[in-house]
Amino acid sequence: MEWRQHLGAGIAAAVAYYVLARLALEWGGDLLPIPLWLATASVVGLALVLPQRYRWSVMIGGGVIGNMLSGLITFGETLRSILTPGLSVLVEVVFMTLTVGLVLGDGGALNRTRRSLKVLGLSMVGAAMGASIAVMETASPTIGEQSVAWVRWALGDLVGLLIVVPLALAYRIPVITPPHPFVRYEAALAFLLALGSTVLAFNLDVPLTYLIVIIVLWLGIRFGPRLATPASLLVVLFGTIFSGQGEGPFVAQGSDAVLQVQGFNLAIAICSLIGSAHAVRAWNDQQQLGAVLRALPDALAVRTADGRLQRSWIPPRMSGKVSELVELSSPSDDPLDLIRPGV
């Protein structure tokens, strides 16, 4: 029955929120407040992945029930004390799910650069909204302390959204790696380099901290979100866990350690998102270029004996006509720039 499916979706969201909230206490270690918060983002990701008719069940199950359970059981708070943080989570979940759902449209994938940038902007707004509501009842006596609390809360949520939402949507995008036999070895090497550099930088104090950011960017640009998003999730988890145990380059910063860890996590998340968006855009351009060239008459395309394109040219007067032959899905303003003479 339909109501059972809605109930199951709500229970799954509540369990996901509760489990990740409980784990947050473990990987945060001695760092307080918790520098990385994935629970809220997990509800948003689940709501976007499941069919649209289950969204409100997921949002209520995770944003209300899961949040109440984690506050009462995990953090030992009273029902009254969790009302304001609970409201902040619910507002953030509803805002992110509805707005990102509109950005994604019917395709439901981050397959355009503009979509990725819009998700980045919406995540910043959603995290800011949630943090603003959450710090309304903090016991901080000064505006400065409240500002620091707001920044830490917002960054923890923002990193979670930028890591989990692209990860949840990554497998709606086709494999975009080049068809070369050594590509999988390159992908494995880059993935292991990202994880190995994180362990060396945080566990053995080898000065490789921000080299990890370049490796994650390489993963995004070269292999797209299917590899970059899980790698970025593991990197921020390892970095947060090691820092919570008193290891790594940021622990010596004292009271600023949480902000230092969050800044590193944010750099990883943004590089993964932007690099993956670039890879997906390049793949889209390649697909549309192939469609254009396949639609060209033989007089404008010279092919080899096995059918591969050797040379093609589109006269400027025919650019408008060619654009009618295929459905252009690239986010670029003028996708035909790739195939005009002299480019």
Coordinates of all heavy atoms in Angstrom, one line a residue, residues 18-88:
Y18 N 19.6 9.8 12.6 CA 20.0 9.4 14.0 C 21.4 8.7 14.0 O 22.2 9.1 14.8 CB 19.0 8.4 14.6 CG 19.4 7.8 15.9 CD1 19.3 8.6 17.0 CD2 19.9 6.5 16.0 CE1 19.6 8.1 18.3 CE2 20.3 6.0 17.2 CZ 20.1 6.8 18.3 OH 20.5 6.2 19.5
V19 N 21.6 7.8 13.0 CA 22.9 7.1 13.0 C 24.1 8.1 12.7 O 25.1 8.1 13.4 CB 22.9 6.0 11.9 CG1 24.3 5.4 11.7 CG2 21.9 4.9 12.3
L20 N 23.9 9.0 11.7 CA 24.9 9.9 11.4 C 25.1 11.0 12.5 O 26.3 11.4 12.7 CB 24.6 10.7 10.1 CG 24.8 9.8 8.8 CD1 24.3 10.5 7.6 CD2 26.2 9.3 8.7
A21 N 24.1 11.4 13.2 CA 24.2 12.3 14.4 C 25.0 11.6 15.5 O 25.8 12.2 16.1 CB 22.9 12.7 14.9
R22 N 24.8 10.3 15.7 CA 25.5 9.6 16.7 C 27.0 9.4 16.3 O 27.9 9.5 17.1 CB 24.9 8.2 17.0 CG 25.4 7.5 18.2 CD 24.5 6.3 18.5 NE 24.9 5.7 19.8 CZ 24.5 6.1 21.0 NH1 23.6 7.1 21.1 NH2 24.9 5.5 22.1
L23 N 27.2 9.1 15.0 CA 28.6 9.0 14.6 C 29.3 10.3 14.6 O 30.6 10.3 14.8 CB 28.6 8.4 13.1 CG 28.2 7.0 13.0 CD1 28.2 6.6 11.5 CD2 29.2 6.1 13.7
A24 N 28.6 11.4 14.5 CA 29.3 12.7 14.5 C 30.0 12.9 15.9 O 31.0 13.6 15.9 CB 28.3 13.8 14.3
L25 N 29.4 12.4 16.9 CA 30.1 12.5 18.2 C 31.4 11.7 18.3 O 32.4 12.2 18.9 CB 29.2 12.0 19.3 CG 28.0 12.9 19.8 CD1 27.2 12.2 20.8 CD2 28.5 14.2 20.3
E26 N 31.4 10.6 17.5 CA 32.6 9.8 17.5 C 33.8 10.4 16.7 O 34.9 10.5 17.1 CB 32.3 8.4 17.0 CG 31.2 7.7 17.8 CD 31.7 7.4 19.2 OE1 32.9 7.2 19.4 OE2 30.8 7.3 20.1
W27 N 33.4 10.9 15.5 CA 34.5 11.4 14.6 C 34.9 12.8 15.0 O 36.0 13.3 14.6 CB 34.2 11.3 13.1 CG 33.0 12.1 12.6 CD1 32.7 13.4 12.8 CD2 31.9 11.6 11.9 NE1 31.6 13.7 12.2 CE2 31.0 12.6 11.6 CE3 31.6 10.3 11.3 CZ2 29.9 12.5 10.8 CZ3 30.4 10.2 10.6 CH2 29.6 11.3 10.4
G28 N 34.0 13.5 15.8 CA 34.4 14.8 16.2 C 35.5 14.8 17.3 O 36.3 15.7 17.5
G29 N 35.5 13.7 18.1 CA 36.4 13.5 19.2 C 36.5 14.7 20.2 O 35.4 15.1 20.7
D30 N 37.6 15.2 20.4 CA 37.8 16.3 21.3 C 37.5 17.7 20.7 O 37.5 18.7 21.4 CB 39.3 16.4 21.8 CG 39.6 15.1 22.6 OD1 38.7 14.5 23.2 OD2 40.8 14.7 22.5
L31 N 37.1 17.7 19.4 CA 36.8 19.0 18.8 C 35.3 19.4 19.1 O 34.4 18.6 18.7 CB 37.0 18.9 17.3 CG 38.5 18.7 16.8 CD1 38.5 18.6 15.3 CD2 39.3 19.9 17.3
L32 N 35.1 20.4 19.7 CA 33.7 20.9 20.0 C 33.7 22.4 19.6 O 34.6 23.2 19.9 CB 33.4 20.7 21.5 CG 33.2 19.3 21.9 CD1 33.0 19.2 23.4 CD2 32.1 18.6 21.2
P33 N 32.6 22.8 18.9 CA 31.5 21.9 18.5 C 31.9 21.0 17.4 O 33.0 21.1 16.8 CB 30.4 23.0 18.0 CG 31.3 24.1 17.6 CD 32.4 24.2 18.5
I34 N 31.0 20.1 17.0 CA 31.3 19.1 16.0 C 31.6 19.7 14.7 O 30.8 20.5 14.1 CB 30.1 18.1 15.9 CG1 29.8 17.4 17.2 CG2 30.3 17.1 14.7 CD1 28.5 16.6 17.2
P35 N 32.7 19.5 14.1 CA 33.2 20.2 12.9 C 32.5 19.8 11.6 O 32.5 20.5 10.6 CB 34.7 20.0 12.8 CG 34.8 18.7 13.5 CD 33.8 18.6 14.6
L36 N 31.9 18.6 11.6 CA 31.4 18.0 10.3 C 30.0 17.4 10.6 O 29.9 16.5 11.5 CB 32.3 17.0 9.7 CG 31.8 16.3 8.4 CD1 31.6 17.3 7.3 CD2 32.8 15.2 8.0
W37 N 29.0 17.9 10.0 CA 27.6 17.4 10.2 C 27.0 16.9 8.9 O 26.6 17.7 8.1 CB 26.8 18.5 10.8 CG 25.4 18.1 11.4 CD1 24.2 18.3 10.8 CD2 25.2 17.4 12.6 NE1 23.2 17.8 11.6 CE2 23.8 17.2 12.7 CE3 26.0 16.9 13.6 CZ2 23.2 16.5 13.7 CZ3 25.5 16.2 14.6 CH2 24.1 16.0 14.7
L38 N 26.9 15.6 8.8 CA 26.3 14.9 7.6 C 24.9 14.5 7.8 O 24.2 14.1 6.8 CB 27.2 13.7 7.3 CG 28.6 13.9 7.0 CD1 29.3 12.6 6.7 CD2 28.9 14.9 5.9
A39 N 24.3 14.6 9.0 CA 23.0 14.1 9.2 C 21.9 14.8 8.4 O 21.1 14.2 7.8 CB 22.6 14.1 10.7
T40 N 22.0 16.2 8.5 CA 21.0 17.0 7.8 C 21.1 16.7 6.2 O 20.1 16.6 5.5 CB 21.2 18.5 8.1 OG1 21.1 18.7 9.5 CG2 20.1 19.3 7.4
A41 N 22.3 16.7 5.8 CA 22.6 16.5 4.3 C 22.1 15.1 3.9 O 21.6 15.0 2.7 CB 24.1 16.7 4.0
S42 N 22.2 14.1 4.8 CA 21.7 12.8 4.4 C 20.2 12.8 4.1 O 19.7 12.1 3.2 CB 22.0 11.8 5.5 OG 21.3 12.0 6.6
V43 N 19.4 13.5 4.9 CA 18.0 13.6 4.6 C 17.7 14.3 3.3 O 16.8 13.9 2.5 CB 17.3 14.4 5.8 CG1 15.8 14.5 5.6 CG2 17.6 13.7 7.1
V44 N 18.4 15.4 3.0 CA 18.3 16.1 1.7 C 18.6 15.2 0.6 O 17.9 15.1 -0.4 CB 19.1 17.4 1.7 CG1 19.0 18.1 0.3 CG2 18.7 18.3 2.8
G45 N 19.7 14.5 0.7 CA 20.1 13.5 -0.4 C 19.1 12.4 -0.6 O 18.8 12.1 -1.8
L46 N 18.6 11.9 0.5 CA 17.6 10.8 0.4 C 16.3 11.3 -0.3 O 15.7 10.6 -1.1 CB 17.3 10.2 1.7 CG 16.4 9.0 1.8 CD1 17.1 7.8 1.0 CD2 16.2 8.6 3.2
A47 N 15.9 12.5 0.1 CA 14.7 13.1 -0.5 C 14.9 13.4 -2.0 O 13.9 13.3 -2.7 CB 14.4 14.4 0.2
L48 N 16.1 13.7 -2.4 CA 16.3 14.0 -3.8 C 16.4 12.7 -4.7 O 16.1 12.7 -5.9 CB 17.6 14.9 -4.0 CG 17.5 16.3 -3.4 CD1 18.8 17.0 -3.5 CD2 16.4 17.1 -4.2
V49 N 16.9 11.7 -4.0 CA 17.2 10.4 -4.8 C 15.9 9.6 -4.9 O 15.6 9.1 -6.0 CB 18.2 9.5 -4.1 CG1 18.3 8.1 -4.6 CG2 19.6 10.2 -4.2
L50 N 15.0 9.6 -3.9 CA 13.8 8.9 -4.0 C 12.8 9.6 -4.9 O 12.9 10.8 -5.2 CB 13.2 8.7 -2.6 CG 13.9 7.8 -1.6 CD1 13.3 7.8 -0.2 CD2 14.1 6.4 -2.1
P51 N 11.7 8.9 -5.4 CA 10.7 9.5 -6.2 C 10.1 10.8 -5.5 O 10.0 10.8 -4.2 CB 9.7 8.4 -6.4 CG 10.5 7.2 -6.3 CD 11.5 7.4 -5.3
Q52 N 9.7 11.7 -6.2 CA 9.2 13.0 -5.7 C 8.1 12.8 -4.7 O 7.9 13.6 -3.8 CB 8.8 13.9 -6.8 CG 8.6 15.4 -6.4 CD 8.4 16.3 -7.6 OE1 8.6 15.9 -8.7 NE2 8.1 17.5 -7.3
R53 N 7.2 11.8 -4.9 CA 6.1 11.7 -4.0 C 6.4 11.3 -2.6 O 5.6 11.5 -1.7 CB 5.1 10.6 -4.6 CG 5.7 9.2 -4.6 CD 4.7 8.2 -5.2 NE 5.2 6.9 -5.3 CZ 5.9 6.4 -6.3 NH1 6.2 7.2 -7.3 NH2 6.3 5.1 -6.3
Y54 N 7.7 10.9 -2.3 CA 8.1 10.6 -1.0 C 8.9 11.7 -0.3 O 9.3 11.5 0.8 CB 9.0 9.3 -1.0 CG 8.4 8.1 -1.6 CD1 8.9 7.4 -2.6 CD2 7.2 7.6 -1.1 CE1 8.3 6.3 -3.2 CE2 6.6 6.5 -1.6 CZ 7.1 5.8 -2.6 OH 6.5 4.7 -3.1
R55 N 9.0 12.9 -0.9 CA 9.8 13.9 -0.4 C 9.4 14.4 1.0 O 10.2 14.6 1.9 CB 10.0 15.1 -1.4 CG 10.9 14.8 -2.5 CD 11.1 16.0 -3.4 NE 12.0 15.6 -4.5 CZ 12.3 16.4 -5.5 NH1 11.7 17.6 -5.6 NH2 13.2 16.0 -6.4
W56 N 8.1 14.7 1.1 CA 7.6 15.2 2.4 C 7.7 14.1 3.5 O 7.9 14.4 4.7 CB 6.2 15.7 2.3 CG 6.1 17.0 1.6 CD1 5.8 17.3 0.3 CD2 6.5 18.3 2.3 NE1 5.9 18.7 0.1 CE2 6.3 19.3 1.3 CE3 6.9 18.6 3.5 CZ2 6.5 20.6 1.6 CZ3 7.1 20.0 3.8 CH2 7.0 21.0 2.8
S57 N 7.5 12.9 3.1 CA 7.7 11.8 4.1 C 9.1 11.8 4.6 O 9.4 11.6 5.8 CB 7.3 10.4 3.5 OG 6.0 10.4 3.1
V58 N 10.1 11.9 3.7 CA 11.5 11.9 4.1 C 11.8 13.1 4.9 O 12.5 13.0 5.9 CB 12.4 11.8 2.8 CG1 13.8 12.0 3.2 CG2 12.2 10.5 2.1
M59 N 11.4 14.3 4.5 CA 11.7 15.5 5.2 C 11.1 15.5 6.6 O 11.8 15.9 7.6 CB 11.1 16.7 4.4 CG 11.9 17.0 3.1 SD 11.4 18.6 2.3 CE 9.8 18.1 1.7
I60 N 9.9 15.0 6.8 CA 9.3 15.0 8.1 C 10.0 13.9 9.0 O 10.3 14.1 10.2 CB 7.8 14.8 8.0 CG1 7.1 16.0 7.4 CG2 7.2 14.5 9.4 CD1 5.7 15.8 7.1
G61 N 10.2 12.7 8.4 CA 10.9 11.6 9.1 C 12.3 12.0 9.6 O 12.6 11.7 10.7
G62 N 13.1 12.6 8.7 CA 14.5 12.9 9.1 C 14.6 14.2 9.8 O 15.3 14.3 10.8
G63 N 13.9 15.2 9.3 CA 14.0 16.6 9.9 C 13.3 16.7 11.2 O 13.7 17.6 12.0
V64 N 12.3 15.9 11.5 CA 11.6 16.0 12.8 C 11.8 14.8 13.7 O 12.4 15.0 14.8 CB 10.0 16.2 12.5 CG1 9.3 16.2 13.8 CG2 9.8 17.4 11.7
I65 N 11.5 13.6 13.2 CA 11.6 12.5 14.1 C 13.0 12.1 14.3 O 13.5 11.9 15.5 CB 10.8 11.3 13.5 CG1 9.3 11.6 13.3 CG2 11.0 10.0 14.3 CD1 8.5 10.6 12.6
G66 N 13.8 12.0 13.3 CA 15.2 11.7 13.5 C 16.0 12.7 14.3 O 16.8 12.4 15.2
N67 N 15.7 14.0 14.1 CA 16.3 15.0 14.9 C 15.9 14.9 16.4 O 16.7 15.1 17.3 CB 15.9 16.4 14.3 CG 16.6 17.5 15.1 OD1 17.7 17.5 15.4 ND2 15.8 18.6 15.3
M68 N 14.6 14.7 16.6 CA 14.2 14.5 18.0 C 14.8 13.3 18.7 O 15.3 13.4 19.9 CB 12.6 14.4 18.1 CG 11.9 15.7 17.7 SD 10.1 15.4 17.7 CE 9.8 15.0 19.4
L69 N 14.9 12.2 18.0 CA 15.5 11.0 18.6 C 17.0 11.3 18.9 O 17.5 10.9 20.0 CB 15.4 9.9 17.6 CG 14.0 9.3 17.5 CD1 14.0 8.2 16.4 CD2 13.5 8.7 18.8
S70 N 17.7 11.9 18.0 CA 19.1 12.2 18.2 C 19.3 13.2 19.4 O 20.3 13.1 20.2 CB 19.8 12.7 17.0 OG 19.2 14.0 16.6
G71 N 18.4 14.2 19.5 CA 18.6 15.1 20.6 C 18.3 14.5 21.9 O 18.9 14.8 22.9
L72 N 17.2 13.7 22.0 CA 16.8 13.1 23.3 C 17.7 12.0 23.7 O 18.1 11.9 24.9 CB 15.4 12.6 23.2 CG 14.3 13.7 22.9 CD1 12.9 13.0 22.7 CD2 14.2 14.6 24.2
I73 N 18.2 11.1 22.8 CA 18.9 9.9 23.1 C 20.4 10.2 23.0 O 21.2 10.0 24.0 CB 18.5 8.8 22.2 CG1 17.0 8.5 22.4 CG2 19.4 7.6 22.5 CD1 16.5 7.4 21.4
T74 N 20.9 10.7 21.9 CA 22.3 10.9 21.7 C 22.9 12.0 22.5 O 23.9 11.9 23.2 CB 22.6 11.1 20.2 OG1 22.1 10.0 19.5 CG2 24.1 11.2 20.0
F75 N 22.3 13.2 22.5 CA 22.8 14.3 23.2 C 22.2 14.6 24.6 O 22.6 15.5 25.3 CB 22.6 15.6 22.3 CG 23.3 15.5 21.0 CD1 22.7 15.1 19.9 CD2 24.7 15.8 20.9 CE1 23.3 15.1 18.6 CE2 25.3 15.7 19.7 CZ 24.7 15.4 18.6
G76 N 21.2 13.8 25.0 CA 20.6 13.8 26.3 C 19.9 15.2 26.6 O 19.9 15.6 27.8
E77 N 19.4 15.8 25.6 CA 18.7 17.1 25.8 C 17.2 16.8 26.2 O 16.7 15.7 26.0 CB 18.8 17.9 24.6 CG 20.2 18.3 24.2 CD 20.3 19.1 22.9 OE1 19.2 19.2 22.3 OE2 21.3 19.6 22.6
T78 N 16.6 17.9 26.7 CA 15.1 17.8 27.0 C 14.4 18.2 25.7 O 14.9 18.7 24.7 CB 14.8 18.8 28.1 OG1 15.1 20.1 27.7 CG2 15.6 18.5 29.4
L79 N 13.1 17.8 25.8 CA 12.2 18.1 24.6 C 12.2 19.6 24.3 O 12.2 20.0 23.1 CB 10.8 17.6 24.8 CG 9.8 17.7 23.7 CD1 10.3 16.9 22.5 CD2 8.5 17.2 24.1
R80 N 12.1 20.4 25.3 CA 12.1 21.9 25.1 C 13.4 22.4 24.5 O 13.3 23.3 23.7 CB 11.8 22.5 26.4 CG 11.6 24.1 26.3 CD 11.3 24.7 27.7 NE 11.1 26.1 27.5 CZ 10.8 26.9 28.6 NH1 10.6 26.4 29.8 NH2 10.7 28.2 28.4
S81 N 14.5 21.9 25.0 CA 15.8 22.4 24.5 C 16.1 22.1 23.1 O 17.0 22.7 22.5 CB 16.9 21.9 25.4 OG 17.0 20.5 25.3
I82 N 15.4 21.1 22.5 CA 15.7 20.7 21.1 C 14.7 21.3 20.1 O 14.9 21.1 18.9 CB 15.6 19.2 20.9 CG1 14.2 18.7 21.1 CG2 16.6 18.5 21.8 CD1 14.0 17.2 20.8
L83 N 13.8 22.2 20.6 CA 12.9 22.8 19.7 C 13.5 23.7 18.6 O 13.3 23.6 17.4 CB 11.8 23.5 20.4 CG 10.8 22.6 21.2 CD1 9.8 23.5 22.0 CD2 10.1 21.6 20.3
T84 N 14.4 24.6 19.1 CA 15.0 25.5 18.2 C 16.0 24.9 17.3 O 15.9 25.1 16.1 CB 15.7 26.6 19.0 OG1 14.8 27.3 19.8 CG2 16.4 27.6 18.1
P85 N 16.9 24.0 17.7 CA 17.8 23.3 16.8 C 16.9 22.4 15.8 O 17.3 22.3 14.6 CB 18.7 22.4 17.7 CG 18.7 23.1 19.0 CD 17.3 23.7 19.1
G86 N 15.9 21.8 16.4 CA 15.0 21.0 15.5 C 14.3 21.8 14.4 O 14.2 21.4 13.2
L87 N 13.9 23.0 14.7 CA 13.3 23.9 13.7 C 14.4 24.3 12.7 O 14.0 24.4 11.5 CB 12.8 25.2 14.4 CG 12.1 26.2 13.5 CD1 10.9 25.6 12.7 CD2 11.7 27.5 14.3
S88 N 15.6 24.5 13.1 CA 16.6 24.9 12.1 C 16.9 23.8 11.2 O 17.1 24.0 10.0 CB 17.9 25.3 12.9 OG 18.5 24.1 13.5

